[in-house]
């Protein structure tokens, strides 16, 4: 595996970072997860914009637009066309003589920029939604959910607890409202009161969640999907629950808290969302 580290492409065992890097000591950094199919990255513009906004909020000086060219270079260096690509930008490492534990950075620093990629399935292998069993977990993470922070301890613990309970993942809830998955956004299919189904996803105002790129693509493509607050009760009574994300695309949650969701099998809304996403990607999004 060839890794990008601070402008250089190096073998993975040579991709070494100081233990005083603020990403390591404080979780003081951001990341992006991208997906390439047949050598083309899905929605690179949206990933760049999200990283740009996060860097600005965190006052880390790096030009997020560089991620596009660096990604192509990294994919070529690893000889990959279907891949997951991870980028991490931390505030950097204090220089000799600079304080290493100050919350306020000792002075201007060169951000540490690191990227790697690994092979994933091609588009043709993603024709059906993946399936998961989930538990409901209280969202104990920080309130700046829009920032794609590398400090993932809250999500990590929720996922570990889900596994300890024999489930695959956790759906996080806060103040009685659905937030998101540990590494995905949540969509629910609800009865519309007229015998039909409508699809909804938590609005960015209803909970501190990530504006997922997959979520954004689906919302832009299907104006019928509602963005609003979703109660825990609506979640457990939903006909279908779906998780969306760059890596997992569309996953059908067939069990929530030990009880079947709807029929207990992936339903038409999960299939429909995945079909829409595949169409967008095929169409060059
Ligand atoms: N995670 N919410 C959270 C908390 C996430 O970590 C992710 C993605 C998403 C979905 O965002 P997107 O559609 O842009 O991938 C929502 C990435 C893939 C990860 O941690 O690897």
């Amino acid at each position: 595996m060839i890794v990008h580290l601070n402008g250089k492409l190096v073998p993975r065992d040579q991709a070494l970072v100081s233990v005083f890097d603020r990403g390591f000591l404080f979780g003081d950094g951001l990341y992006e997860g991208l997906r390439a199919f047949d050598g083309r990255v899905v929605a690179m513009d949206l990933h760049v914009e999200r990283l740009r906004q996060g860097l600005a909020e965190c006052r880390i000086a790096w030009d997020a637009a560089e991620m596009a060219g660096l990604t192509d270079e990294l994919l070529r260096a690893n000889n990959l066309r279907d891949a997951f690509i991870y980028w991490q930008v931390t505030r950097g490492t204090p220089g000799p003589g600079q304080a290493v534990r100050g919350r306020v950075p000792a002075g201007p620093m060169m951000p540490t920029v690191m990227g790697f990629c690994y092979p994933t399935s091609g588009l043709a292998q993603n024709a059906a939604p993946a399936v998961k069993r989930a538990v409901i977990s209280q969202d104990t993470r920080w309130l700046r959910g829009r920032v794609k922070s590398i400090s993932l301890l809250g999500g990590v613990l929720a996922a570990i607890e889900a596994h300890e309970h024999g489930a695959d993942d956790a759906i996080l809830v806060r103040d009685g409202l659905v937030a998101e998955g540990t590494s995905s956004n949540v969509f629910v299919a609800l009865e519309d009161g007229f015998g039909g189904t409508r699809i909804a996803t938590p609005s960015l105002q209803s909970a501190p969640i990530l504006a997922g790129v997959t979520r954004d693509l689906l919302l832009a493509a299907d104006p019928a999907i509602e963005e609003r607050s979703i109660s825990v009760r609506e979640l457990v009574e939903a006909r279908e629950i779906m998780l969306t994300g760059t890596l997992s695309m569309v996953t059908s949650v067939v069990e929530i808290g030990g009880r079947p969701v709807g029929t207990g099998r992936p339903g038409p809304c999960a299939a429909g969302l995945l079909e829409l996403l595949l169409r967008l990607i095929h169409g060059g999004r």
Side-chain angles (χ1 to χ4, degrees), residues 151-171:
S151 315
L152 291 173
L153 193 53
V156 166
L157 289 180
I160 289 174
E161 281 163 20
H163 276 260
E164 285 171 354
H165 285 91
D168 305 303
D169 207 346
I171 293 181

Side-chain angles (χ1 to χ4, degrees), residues 246-262:
T246 295
L247 195 53
S248 50
M249 302 185 73
V250 177
T251 300
S252 175
V253 177
V254 295
E255 193 183 295
I256 185 86
R259 291 169 48 187
V261 178

